[in-house]
Amino acid sequence: MHVSIITLFPELFEPYLTATVLGRAVQAGRLRVDLVPLRAYGEGRHQIIDDRPFGGGPGMVLMAEPVIRCVEATRAEHGPGVRTLLLTPQGRRFDQPFAEALATHEDGFILLCGRYEGIDERAIEILQPEELSVGDYVLSGGEAGAMVVLDATARLVPGVLGDERSPKEDSFSGADRILDHPHYTRPLDVRGLGVPEVLRSGNHAEIARWRRARALERTRARRPDLLTDAPEGDQE
Ligand code: 9D3
């Protein structure tokens, strides 16, 4: 998988890429992450990339030309089918089916991180990125959102996950959209709280049934929307 991240703060991604399972995937050659510093495409001796908004108001706007030049240069590093994703509160909500589609996309994708009040609309008009939000809360920029997208997609690449577990078993994957059951490990007694007897029974059919029941119970209580909403691509 080939991911490029366009950002004013490439250094934010360094520890994340080296300290996690993603670092191992990069080492193993399964994952290529290019950090592209938007500032390098700025204008003039000071490499300016933002300016005040026409019409007034607070904050600054990322200028169109540096963004356009940067995305065009980055696209040239990918295959012709590269997808360009703009992280923005105006985007469609990122979800697991979207992650699955990105993870298998042959020519990789570009994550364009917005900052300040946003990007000059003409850059968006010219570049036609897919606009993605990671949820209904206000972030201070696209970088945290890009890390969400990077993490959710990279772990789907074969060999990236540290353990043998298939991503197919995850919550939100495929048709089986259900929350996880509770987990227990040693010791048997934690401040007077024990472990459900069934988990110590050795009866694996019984354990599977118990876990499934607890998972359904939690999903009904906490996220009933997961049980009623049609899975992505199942609407028609
Ligand atoms: C307080 C400023 N807001 C005025 C209406 C607009 C605004 C601009 C820029 C709000 C947030 C941001 C920065 N956020 C992102 O770049 C962002 C984001 C988010 O805030 N929420 C969820 N997903 C994403 S992806 C990128």
Side-chain angles (χ1 to χ4, degrees), residues 87-89 114 116-117 132-135 137-142:
L87 280 306
T88 165
Y116 313 120
E117 289 311 298
L132 270 192
S133 161
V134 295
Y137 33 77
V138 182
L139 301 174
S140 50

Side-chain angles (χ1 to χ4, degrees), residues 135-203:
D136 293 337
Y137 33 77
V138 182
L139 301 174
S140 50
E143 283 78 10
M147 285 188 206
V148 166
V149 174
L150 179 62
D151 190 277
T153 52
R155 61 184 295 288
L156 297 175
V157 173
V160 169
L161 269 190
D163 60 24
E164 298 306 303
R165 205 166 55 111
S166 154
K168 294 248 154 59
E169 290 169 32
D170 292 353
S171 291
F172 311 118
S173 191
D176 192 8
R177 302 196 316 161
I178 191 173
L179 300 182
D180 209 355
H181 54 75
H183 301 271
Y184 297 88
T185 186
R186 293 189 297 176
L188 212 43
D189 178 282
V190 173
R191 303 189 183 203
L193 298 180
V195 174
E197 196 56 44
V198 56
L199 298 180
R200 307 176 53 219
S201 68
N203 184 336

Side-chain angles (χ1 to χ4, degrees), residues 1-3 16-17 20-23 25-26 30-33 94 96 99-100 102-104 109 111 146-162 167:
M1 192 170 86
H2 181 191
V3 187
Y16 185 68
L17 286 170
T20 65
V21 67
L22 297 193
V26 171
R30 295 182 180 279
L31 176 64
R32 171 178 170 193
V33 181
F94 179 68
Q96 191 66 23
E100 285 166 9
L102 284 182
T104 55
F109 56 93
L111 298 173
M147 285 188 206
V148 166
V149 174
L150 179 62
D151 190 277
T153 52
R155 61 184 295 288
L156 297 175
V157 173
V160 169
L161 269 190

Side-chain angles (χ1 to χ4, degrees), residues 83-87 94 98 102 109-113 129-132 149:
R83 295 174 71 171
T84 305
L85 308 166
L86 170 62
L87 280 306
F94 179 68
F98 202 99
L102 284 182
F109 56 93
I110 298 167
L111 298 173
L112 173 56
C113 303
E130 300 172 69
E131 300 186 42
L132 270 192
V149 174

